Amino acid sequence: MEIFQYTPDMLTPVTQFYNRVTADVPHCYPVKAEEFAVDMRDVTDEINNRDDRLDAPTAFVAIQNGVVQAFIHIGFYTNTDEKNIGVIRFLGYEPGVRPAGQAVLEKAETYLKAFNVTQISAFPSAFRYRCYHLEYANLSNALGQVHALLGFNEYRPEPRWIFLDWKNYVVTPMPAPIPLKLSVNRVQERGQYPDCIVKIYQENEQIGECCSVSGGEFSNHADAQEWLYTTWLSVEEPFQGKGIGKFLLQSALQEMHKIGYRHAAISTGWDDYRALLFYNNFGYRVVDWTYQYKKVLSETPVQA
């Protein structure tokens, strides 16, 4: 087995590897090389105005007998305390070949230590691949071998986001619990069907909002297009507990069903038990638990 620094000529085999290891991750669909290249452009482009905001980005690939067995994509950023924080954007390895995963992880840590990073964050949602899962996602519970490898190497989990699905959702029309008005704004973005923003008003004052986007925002795959993902649901505090949140979410799902959506996804923080109860009672079911991992290397940078 050999470890190589990623170069553009590796795009196709690395894309094929990514598709293999994410096959069981919710809302991960097979990607084509040109789509995966979008997430690899920080490694291959020389320009500095990157969307991901990482410095010194690179990737390492473990290859044996011409087959990719492990892959890691890294970089770092400087936080407000002027400490360099290492980032693992993605790490994967084939189950059963832990030495390959260990090798690329050690290679990545050695690389990042040269930039005096004080800690490394693995799978922070701010640096998530566009084609990986849904917005806010961290390391999926489906990638058990990666969880184990990080834990074995003294990375500590930080629970972040729970994801819930509702396939072939059906909502029963219900009247508003109090006199309300709705506004619906559809915006065509990347998906086959438009995104949707639904707002509710009482006496011309906005008291709630529900924002949902197309699964096509995250994947070009045909199967993603019938999924909507609700990114924001809120009701002003004086109006909470009156059934308005249920009415708002139901109205938004109805509007999106009219234009072609058939499946719904939503997420919430690990400790937002009120939201988790609400979504489960509404009809959603938990499909994934995601974690960010952190490893502290030192509290202060090494002085040259």
Side-chain angles (χ1 to χ4, degrees):
M1 179 182 65
E2 294 184 83
I3 308 298
F4 299 94
Q5 196 159 11
Y6 177 85
T7 54
D9 61 295
M10 299 178 185
L11 177 61
T12 296
V14 169
T15 302
Q16 293 169 345
F17 166 81
Y18 172 82
N19 287 336
R20 292 197 303 273
V21 297
T22 60
D24 295 327
V25 175
H27 301 285
C28 276
Y29 302 92
V31 297
K32 296 180 180 179
E34 56 266 28
E35 187 176 2
F36 193 69
V38 174
D39 286 313
M40 296 303 299
R41 64 186 176 186
D42 63 328
V43 175
T44 57
D45 291 352
E46 295 181 359
I47 57 175
N48 293 319
N49 58 336
R50 298 180 299 268
D51 294 336
D52 49 68
R53 305 180 307 283
L54 285 182
D55 291 315
T58 193
F60 295 103
V61 187
I63 299 177
Q64 185 168 16
N65 298 324
V67 178
V68 175
Q69 293 193 327
F71 170 77
I72 192 167
H73 186 165
I74 57 175
F76 76 91
Y77 69 93
T78 304
N79 67 8
T80 54
D81 295 327
E82 301 203 353
K83 294 181 179 179
N84 290 344
I85 308 299
V87 170
I88 298 175
R89 292 191 68 189
F90 187 83
L91 166 62
Y93 70 95
E94 299 278 14
V97 289
R98 182 168 68 86
Q102 184 69 35
V104 295
L105 182 58
E106 290 178 359
K107 187 77 171 179
E109 289 186 356
T110 299
Y111 175 86
L112 290 171
K113 287 176 181 177
F115 296 98
N116 281 334
V117 300
T118 58
Q119 67 181 49
I120 301 175
S121 292
F123 287 83
S125 59
F127 300 100
R128 177 191 61 86
Y129 284 177
R130 177 191 167 224
C131 61
Y132 172 77
H133 216 305
L134 298 172
E135 193 172 358
Y136 310 120
N138 309 110
L139 176 58
S140 168
N141 205 43
L143 293 172
Q145 76 274 23
V146 181
H147 286 275
L149 183 68
L150 291 173
F152 183 78
N153 284 272
E154 301 182 341
Y155 288 77
R156 295 296 173 253
E158 299 177 320
R160 292 295 183 179
W161 290 91
I162 301 172
F163 288 82
L164 304 94
D165 284 0
W166 191 358
K167 292 184 178 180
N168 299 305
Y169 72 86
V170 177
V171 289
T172 303
M174 62 173 282
I178 60 175
L180 296 169
K181 292 183 180 179
L182 286 172
S183 74
V184 179
N185 182 29
R186 298 187 180 115
V187 181
Q188 187 67 54
E189 295 289 350
R190 290 179 172 146
Q192 178 180 343
Y193 304 118
D195 301 345
C196 189
I197 301 172
V198 178
K199 298 179 181 180
I200 53 173
Y201 300 83
Q202 185 189 51
E203 297 179 352
N204 298 320
E205 177 185 358
Q206 182 180 325
I207 63 169
E209 183 178 41
C210 182
C211 304
S212 300
V213 301
S214 168
E217 292 290 319
F218 313 104
S219 173
N220 297 334
H221 197 276
D223 291 347
Q225 307 308 314
E226 290 187 339
W227 280 91
L228 67 90
Y229 173 51
T230 298
T231 59
W232 180 255
L233 177 67
S234 68
V235 174
E236 295 295 325
E237 187 172 352
F239 298 92
Q240 294 177 6
K242 302 179 184 295
I244 296 174
K246 181 177 181 180
F247 172 74
L248 174 58
L249 181 55
Q250 184 182 59
S251 299
L253 292 178
Q254 286 178 313
E255 289 296 328
M256 299 194 80
H257 198 276
K258 291 177 186 176
I259 57 178
Y261 290 101
R262 294 296 176 263
H263 317 296
I266 204 164
S267 59
T268 187
W270 272 64
D271 56 355
D272 193 344
Y273 304 114
R274 180 178 179 180
L276 187 58
L277 281 169
F278 172 70
Y279 298 146
N280 272 279
N281 291 337
F282 199 89
Y284 293 90
R285 293 294 177 265
V286 173
V287 295
D288 204 4
W289 304 72
T290 72
Y291 306 69
Q292 179 175 316
Y293 277 81
K294 181 173 75 173
K295 181 175 183 177
V296 177
L297 301 178
S298 65
E299 293 301 324
T300 56
V302 176
Q303 298 298 318

